[in-house]
Amino acid sequence: TVLIRGSGVDTNVFFPLPEPTGTPLILLPARLLWDKGVGEFVAAARILKEKQVQARFILVGDPDSQNPECIPESKVTEWVNEGVIEAWGFQNNMHEVINQAAIICLPSYREGLPKALLEAASCGRPIVTNDVPGCREVVLDRKNGFLVPPKDVTALSTALERLIMDKNLRERMGAEGRRKVIREFSQEIIGAETMKVWEEVQH
């Protein structure tokens, strides 16, 4: 058995651009499902807004009505009307969307190897995610982001606040994430690993 981690990321498309000036954007790129940690993301956003931490919290993704974990659109509308988050829906230009963000957040309960986090790291963005299989393949805690315990809203909000308040830390972690992707997860590296397996099978 040979394990190849994911399908790789196009580092020429998902390329770092400088973080925009102004209020930092915190992005959760995922289908709108409870088990992606959307509820915890909203709760953390509420805590930080109550503390008057200046940031915008964005959901990017569509609902998945066929999934029992789907969040009702009425609930998303309620959060938007409350002013705690923004909902941008599905976006097909994710390299541009990620580069608008200061931080990428995915408090998912479980993942395979999340493409969204690979793309975020390739764009040089720091990541806050859960310490679960898949996510911890991409994020080394305190190196290119923070790993927090699943369903721990306090830990999530604390990690986000630390990054929101420290642009230098964001830049350092983002640069380390980019290096990690180029070293381990680029399309070229994953493609070469895949071809090596094919060649070994043929012989």
Side-chain angles (χ1 to χ4, degrees), residues 22 59-60 62 72 157 175 197:
L59 299 178
V60 176
D62 271 345
S157 64
V197 172

Side-chain angles (χ1 to χ4, degrees), residues 1-9 111-115 118 134 137-138 183-201:
T1 301
V2 177
L3 175 64
I4 296 174
R5 296 186 296 172
S7 56
V9 60
E111 290 289 333
L113 185 64
K115 188 90 167 181
L118 289 177
E137 295 287 320
V138 182
R183 196 168 57 238
E184 300 177 30
F185 293 108
S186 72
Q187 278 186 348
E188 292 80 7
I189 287 172
I190 300 298
E193 290 178 4
T194 305
M195 288 306 298
K196 184 169 181 254
V197 172
W198 275 111
E199 288 166 3
E200 289 174 356
V201 169

Side-chain angles (χ1 to χ4, degrees), residues 12-38:
N12 295 315
V13 172
F14 290 89
F15 185 85
L17 293 174
E19 181 187 314
T21 56
T23 305
L25 267 61
I26 321 302
L27 211 71
L28 193 165
R31 289 173 298 150
L32 301 185
L33 305 174
W34 292 113
D35 60 9
K36 295 293 183 184
V38 174

Side-chain angles (χ1 to χ4, degrees), residues 121-193:
S122 189
C123 286
R125 293 307 187 255
I127 297 166
V128 178
T129 190
N130 282 352
D131 189 4
V132 296
C135 296
R136 70 170 79 104
E137 295 287 320
V138 182
V139 176
L140 292 175
D141 189 39
R142 302 176 188 274
K143 296 292 187 185
N144 62 321
F146 291 109
L147 294 172
V148 300
K151 305 184 183 181
D152 188 334
V153 172
T154 301
L156 182 65
S157 64
T158 299
L160 288 171
E161 183 176 8
R162 186 169 172 193
L163 279 169
I164 291 165
M165 303 304 289
D166 191 340
K167 186 175 182 184
N168 288 332
L169 180 61
R170 295 200 299 270
E171 290 174 348
R172 286 200 306 275
M173 285 187 163
E176 179 57 38
R178 172 73 179 179
R179 286 192 290 270
K180 182 175 174 64
V181 166
I182 289 173
R183 196 168 57 238
E184 300 177 30
F185 293 108
S186 72
Q187 278 186 348
E188 292 80 7
I189 287 172
I190 300 298
E193 290 178 4

Side-chain angles (χ1 to χ4, degrees), residues 39-52 57 75 78-79 82 84-85 153 157:
E40 287 82 359
F41 179 76
V42 173
R46 195 177 281 121
I47 288 169
L48 294 172
K49 284 182 179 290
E50 286 171 359
K51 292 175 72 173
Q52 298 189 321
F57 297 84
K75 175 57 72 175
E78 181 184 314
W79 291 332
E82 183 187 339
V84 68
I85 56 109
V153 172
S157 64

